[in-house]
Amino acid sequence: MIGRLSRRDFLKLTSAGSLVLALGWSAEACGDGDEAPEFFTPQERTTLEAAVERILPGAVAAGALIYIERLLTAFDHDRPPIFAGGPFSDRHPFPNIERGAPSDDFPDNDFERFIPLSRIRELAWRVRIFGSANVPGAEFMFESVTGHRDLYRESIGDLDAKGRDLAGTSFVELRAEQQDEALTQASPAFVGQLIEHVVEGVYAAPEYGGNAGLAGWRSSQYEGDSQPLGYSIFNAATNEYEELPERPLSTENPDEDFSGLQGDVLEFIAAITLGQGGQRFF
Amino acid sequence: MAIPSNEPDVLGNTDLDSFDAIVIGSGAGGSTAAYVLATNGKKVLVLESGDNYFEGLDDPDKDKPVPLFSNDELKLRVRDLISPDPLLEPRTFRASEADGERTHVGEVNNLPKTVGGGAVHADMKYPRFQETDFRLGSLLGEVPGASFADWPLTYDELEPFYAEAEQITGVQGDDSADPFASPRSKGYPMPPGAPMYVSLLAAEGARKQGYQPFPYPTAINSRPYRGRPPCVDCGFCSGYGCPTNAKGSPAVTFLREALLSENCQVRYNCHVARLLANASKTSIEGVEYIDPDGNRRQAKADIYVLGASAIESARLCLLSDPDGAGLGNSSGLVGRNLMFHFQTVGVGIFQQRLHGHRGRALTHGMADFRGVPGDPERPLAGIIEFGASTELIFEAKTYATTLGMRGERLKEFLRQSPLRDRLMGLTMQAEDAPQPTNRVDLDPEVRDVYGLPVARITYQNHAFELSAREFYMPKLLAIVQAAGAQFGFIAPPDTPPASRHIMGTLRMSDDARSSVCDGFGKFHDLENLYCADGATFVTSSGYNPTLTIHALALRMAGNLISPSNAARVLRHT
């Protein structure tokens, strides 16, 4: 879905798209009807969007910034959106084991009801978000922890400063390769954390704020959560297991082409295989 | 009606206010001990440091408990819902004393800590050990630098307890398919469930190489069993709690039965800080724990059972002696002979998609590489799991962080998915030679959220397991090639080891000078302290350890109820 769009399409989409998504998610996101809390200033948001698109094109439209902002504002929500509830989302039906087939009965979406944090869990997540120096009770920690909020605020400012150094412009107005250069020179702690958060936002369950319309899962041919249906249905009448023809458990995919890895990916895997002392068998 | 509890952070009978036994930890060992004691009329208090994610675990309603686990990689694997948070409860690591105080602070073999214990995360591979695994001291003779010894019990003595644990947890398997399995008195309670494509391919590759693969014995329902549903093969198994209770994990089997007996109370988010011993350190008189609000409290009983896992149970003994030597430590062995299984992973990358995310982690394995004690042509390694790779966030981080990919290239790797959807992984467990120098002690500086010194792990491999790895690596690659892989390689070993199989530290023997506990898990030095977890293991075997923890805990607690005839407590065999 996102793979077909050009980068320019995305730049056109991003500001409007993320606004729509932010509005669309705010009610469910908080579970308490309040506005989605914001952390980034408009300027910071624009800079961060540009950086995120250099890491993973399409990530902004997929809601990566919404994911990040919800983490940074977790304690502004009645229930911090750290651990989604369970056991089921509403994406798949229950199995019917009398018939050995999917039923028409779908569960409620439990993922939307976030799990309350225990006292010590809350301490840990406050430290991650605000930093160990700013959280009472964190004095025991052997190594100090920089909070995500400080890391983002300072590092986004640094990206714009780097833009002025490189070309006398803001980060957003740099050419793509200059943006990459600025990211290379940015704090490795920030870039490492940003990559992790972008990947989590795009590829985690959508209840965390990203993966809009399951764009992350679809672009990777990933099937996501499968409960309560799963991939085998026990048939109590026959004691056999029914499988889903399009998504079999015990056999190859029905449309499998066996053509293997393509192009660059094939070469890269060959290289790391040999680098590990392994073998290419054919 | 005393149950279910409606008090926060308490499960079970809230009317109980005096106890015969206090069990520390609600995992495989602790839950099993609590079950035996409570169902035989003893009043039991279980103190669990972690949180509870089984809503209604103490509610007799047939639709309970409702787990809060889900097919959610972020929650379970990135943010680690069920594991101790490494910011709150770090461990430290060094390979040897020559490395200084430590080389790493943070996560070290972070076995989950939650109601139901470490086994909540497991994909429930529940094989038994082999008969010879209990006699490696005799069979191997002297191995320099290692402390192999015989167990103070035989396979035959443990066999009825294995059978009982299989019945209670609900193990699926094929009685006749593993030619290396030791004799059984009773068949598996369920047949194997639906097979996975990746496991079938690996099994075929193994057969072509002359090996004898079999459906992996697994405590996952293949049928409706004891009020729990059959597994639907959702694909989020290893590392994930089960959303439907199809896994027979300790919480929904042993612990639930203990709670429903009305003789058991579980207090969770309650972290035991120390055991309180008498002046001569021959008896435990109470425990001090930190309650959910952070207050220090005490609890008392007649007997005390450690089930906090091999690292934490040893740490608790070390924390509980104001003189510093450690409770129960007249042998000097508390914390020593720490073992993890030394895992070797043979990786195959295939032309086709293997869709290992459909299934229950794996469905087949083989034991041909377990070897024969003392035979140089068949060194001791362990059982092999025919598995796959399932996690998208992990895959994306591997490409983006480890391999430095960005932009369209990153997306193309994720679309073709060489390291997830096309990956077969053969995980070989291996006998991890016990070494007195591999140990748990208290870090001199690093503290946890409770202000207590954290466990420091000092661990390095012995030539015993390193040479087994070298011996079997080409044979693993031959299997993935025969299975049809285009590429094959051996994954680099984990440092610190990440197996989640943690054993030793309070080893057992009838000889008090060479061990901490006796053959029934009772501390030699203390009249009322017992161990029910993997800490008592003398050797590590080459098989997943949890079923053996259950069997030993059944026997330990059975001996408390019925001295000299522990098997009298068995109800299903």
Side-chain angles (χ1 to χ4, degrees):
Chain A
M1 174 184 171
I2 57 180
R4 285 194 222 105
L5 299 175
S6 69
R7 178 166 176 274
R8 188 151 43 134
D9 290 330
F10 270 114
L11 290 178
K12 281 192 293 185
L13 276 173
T14 43
S15 51
S18 61
L19 181 63
V20 169
L21 288 167
L23 291 172
W25 276 101
S26 58
E28 282 176 299
C30 304
D32 47 19
D34 61 6
E35 294 292 309
E38 292 189 349
F39 174 76
F40 299 117
T41 66
Q43 168 70 27
E44 287 172 335
R45 190 181 307 276
T46 308
T47 301
L48 187 60
E49 284 175 355
V52 164
E53 285 299 301
R54 292 310 301 157
I55 292 166
L56 185 64
V60 172
L65 265 71
I66 301 172
Y67 169 84
I68 293 168
E69 199 156 30
R70 285 184 61 190
L71 175 59
L72 301 187
T73 61
F75 289 99
D76 297 332
H77 297 252
D78 281 354
R79 280 201 181 176
I82 303 294
F83 300 114
F88 308 129
S89 77
D90 56 2
R91 290 183 270 278
H92 302 279
F94 289 100
N96 178 334
I97 74 167
E98 278 72 45
R99 293 192 299 116
S103 75
D104 298 324
D105 184 16
F106 283 72
D108 294 336
N109 190 347
D110 305 310
F111 283 36
E112 291 174 349
R113 289 191 292 276
F114 284 86
I115 298 173
L117 300 177
S118 70
R119 180 183 62 88
I120 63 167
R121 285 274 187 187
E122 177 171 339
L123 174 65
W125 284 94
R126 284 190 181 274
V127 165
R128 286 198 172 86
I129 291 167
F130 296 102
S132 53
N134 303 314
V135 177
E139 299 78 15
F140 74 91
M141 289 185 179
F142 187 67
E143 292 160 335
S144 67
V145 177
T146 302
H148 295 326
R149 290 168 69 107
D150 288 346
L151 188 64
Y152 274 91
R153 188 130 278 155
E154 287 166 20
S155 303
I156 293 171
D158 289 347
L159 288 179
D160 279 328
K162 190 61 66 182
R164 288 191 292 276
D165 288 352
L166 287 170
T169 73
S170 65
F171 178 82
V172 175
E173 289 161 28
L174 293 175
R175 297 194 312 275
E177 53 275 24
Q178 290 175 311
Q179 289 181 339
D180 289 347
E181 172 71 13
L183 283 168
T184 304
Q185 294 177 19
S187 137
F190 169 66
V191 176
Q193 186 65 76
L194 180 61
I195 290 170
E196 296 215 345
H197 283 166
V198 168
V199 162
E200 291 165 12
V202 174
Y203 299 116
E207 287 75 11
Y208 292 98
N211 194 7
L214 308 183
W217 291 350
R218 288 183 179 150
S219 69
S220 331
Q221 300 185 28
Y222 179 74
E223 290 158 6
D225 62 288
S226 73
Q227 286 277 5
L229 183 62
Y231 295 101
S232 74
I233 305 174
F234 179 69
N235 186 327
T238 63
N239 280 354
E240 301 287 331
Y241 301 91
E242 313 293 341
E243 299 185 19
L244 307 173
E246 294 307 305
R247 285 171 280 156
L249 174 68
S250 59
T251 57
E252 68 207 38
N253 288 324
D255 55 350
E256 193 60 53
D257 64 8
F258 289 86
S259 62
L261 300 168
Q262 308 289 315
D264 185 24
V265 178
L266 177 67
E267 296 310 314
F268 192 89
I269 291 299
I272 62 168
T273 297
L274 299 175
Q276 295 283 344
Q279 287 171 262
R280 178 172 181 163
F281 298 126
F282 58 88
Chain B
M1 187 69 188
I3 56 170
S5 154
N6 52 22
E7 284 183 29
D9 301 314
V10 182
L11 292 167
N13 188 345
T14 52
D15 292 346
L16 299 177
D17 54 8
S18 69
F19 298 97
D20 298 307
I22 289 176
V23 177
I24 299 164
S26 65
S31 285
T32 304
Y35 157 84
V36 172
L37 296 171
T39 57
N40 284 283
K42 301 295 184 190
K43 309 295 185 210
V44 181
L45 172 64
V46 179
L47 295 169
E48 167 56 53
S49 177
D51 210 339
N52 175 42
Y53 304 112
F54 294 94
E55 288 186 340
L57 187 63
D58 55 352
D59 187 336
D61 187 296
K62 69 175 177 51
D63 293 326
K64 296 286 171 52
V66 176
L68 294 174
F69 312 117
S70 49
N71 291 176
D72 182 343
E73 183 183 358
L74 190 76
K75 173 168 83 172
L76 274 311
R77 301 289 277 169
V78 179
R79 297 181 174 175
D80 271 343
L81 176 75
I82 55 178
S83 299
D85 192 309
L87 285 183
L88 302 170
E89 299 174 81
R91 289 175 178 153
T92 64
F93 180 82
R94 58 183 180 173
S96 72
E97 291 183 10
D99 285 345
E101 296 290 11
R102 69 192 74 77
T103 56
H104 168 82
V105 179
E107 194 270 339
V108 182
N109 221 316
N110 218 359
L111 188 67
K113 187 168 88 168
T114 177
V115 169
V120 169
H121 89 287
D123 48 15
M124 306 305 289
K125 295 184 283 279
Y126 266 35
R128 299 179 178 193
F129 288 4
Q130 284 188 33
E131 188 274 333
T132 51
D133 292 342
F134 298 84
R135 298 188 286 123
L136 289 184
S138 304
L139 294 170
L140 292 175
E142 179 74 13
V143 177
S147 47
F148 284 102
D150 291 348
W151 292 46
L153 69 161
T154 64
Y155 175 86
D156 288 346
E157 287 174 82
L158 197 58
E159 201 284 334
F161 301 92
Y162 270 137
E164 177 90 350
E166 288 170 345
Q167 295 293 319
I168 292 173
T169 58
V171 179
Q172 59 166 279
D174 179 336
D175 299 334
S176 58
D178 175 6
F180 303 99
S182 294
R184 320 171 48 85
S185 61
K186 196 170 172 70
Y188 289 109
M190 281 176 276
M196 289 169 69
Y197 178 53
V198 63
S199 289
L200 291 174
L201 285 178
E204 187 54 34
R207 260 182 228 106
K208 286 180 186 166
Q209 293 292 303
Y211 305 124
Q212 300 166 84
F214 51 83
Y216 215 103
T218 312
I220 298 177
N221 284 358
S222 62
R223 299 275 186 277
Y225 186 78
R226 295 181 142 237
R228 296 181 290 107
C231 173
V232 299
D233 289 295
C234 76
F236 292 76
C237 203
S238 178
Y240 294 79
C242 183
T244 68
N245 300 324
K247 288 182 189 175
S249 81
V252 300
T253 54
F254 290 103
L255 190 61
R256 180 165 164 82
E257 288 205 36
L259 289 166
L260 297 186
S261 77
E262 304 198 11
N263 287 329
C264 180
Q265 183 184 114
V266 177
R267 299 181 193 165
Y268 56 92
N269 290 319
C270 288
H271 183 84
V272 175
R274 59 190 177 123
L275 308 168
L276 305 168
N278 64 350
S280 58
K281 299 181 204 169
T282 54
S283 178
I284 304 296
E285 299 185 326
V287 299
E288 180 178 278
Y289 68 94
I290 296 154
D291 78 5
D293 299 318
N295 304 306
R296 288 196 176 239
R297 297 194 179 281
Q298 291 190 5
K300 294 183 186 304
D302 297 331
I303 65 162
Y304 298 83
V305 178
L306 294 176
S309 92
I311 291 175
E312 294 302 318
S313 288
R315 177 186 175 217
L316 196 51
C317 292
L318 297 170
L319 284 170
S320 300
D321 179 6
D323 303 324
L327 287 182
N329 201 18
S330 65
S331 65
L333 290 173
V334 168
R336 295 190 180 274
N337 297 301
L338 172 67
M339 299 169 285
F340 305 109
H341 279 142
F342 184 54
Q343 297 174 332
T344 297
V345 184
V347 176
I349 296 173
F350 283 66
Q351 287 184 296
Q352 75 272 35
R353 291 177 181 270
L354 304 178
H355 56 71
H357 60 278
R358 301 179 197 144
R360 45 194 188 279
L362 55 97
T363 57
H364 291 70
M366 64 180 234
D368 299 75
F369 295 177
R370 173 54 192 153
V372 175
D375 181 349
E377 298 305 309
R378 302 188 62 191
L380 288 187
I383 194 167
I384 299 178
E385 306 168 359
F386 294 168
S389 177
T390 61
E391 294 176 326
L392 179 61
I393 296 173
F394 178 74
E395 181 189 29
K397 287 184 178 178
T398 301
Y399 299 145
T401 302
T402 313
L403 303 175
M405 292 172 189
R406 304 277 187 280
E408 293 298 341
R409 182 171 157 86
L410 170 57
K411 291 171 72 172
E412 182 59 19
F413 268 74
L414 286 165
R415 193 186 64 73
Q416 294 198 36
S417 194
L419 299 183
R420 182 181 55 84
D421 213 4
R422 298 177 197 271
L423 185 144
M424 171 188 289
L426 306 188
T427 301
M428 181 179 75
Q429 309 292 340
E431 182 85 40
D432 187 355
Q435 303 176 70
T437 49
N438 284 350
R439 66 184 296 205
V440 174
D441 69 353
L442 300 179
D443 190 283
E445 294 170 287
V446 181
R447 299 291 180 268
D448 69 9
V449 66
Y450 307 107
L452 302 168
V454 305
R456 174 172 64 183
I457 310 305
T458 304
Y459 175 90
Q460 60 187 350
N461 284 118
H462 190 280
F464 186 87
E465 60 262 17
L466 291 171
S467 61
R469 176 182 169 92
E470 292 298 321
F471 182 89
Y472 287 115
M473 282 195 314
K475 300 177 191 300
L476 281 169
L477 285 180
I479 296 172
V480 298
Q481 179 178 16
Q486 188 173 14
F487 298 98
F489 59 90
I490 301 292
D494 295 317
T495 303
S499 65
R500 305 309 191 255
H501 298 177
I502 311 175
M503 297 159 282
T505 74
L506 302 172
R507 70 164 22 184
M508 59 180 169
S509 164
D510 294 331
D511 174 12
R513 291 163 304 172
S514 64
S515 65
V516 179
C517 295
D518 72 15
F520 286 97
K522 181 188 162 297
F523 278 64
H524 292 299
D525 294 352
L526 292 122
E527 64 188 20
N528 63 345
L529 182 63
Y530 297 79
C531 178
D533 61 33
T536 60
F537 283 27
V538 180
T539 52
S540 65
S541 178
Y543 292 87
N544 316 70
T546 311
L547 184 74
T548 302
I549 294 175
H550 284 298
L552 288 172
L554 280 170
R555 183 169 173 272
M556 182 277 281
N559 191 58
L560 283 171
I561 297 295
S562 174
S564 77
N565 185 12
R568 201 168 61 77
V569 302
L570 304 181
R571 297 171 180 211
H572 303 280
T573 51

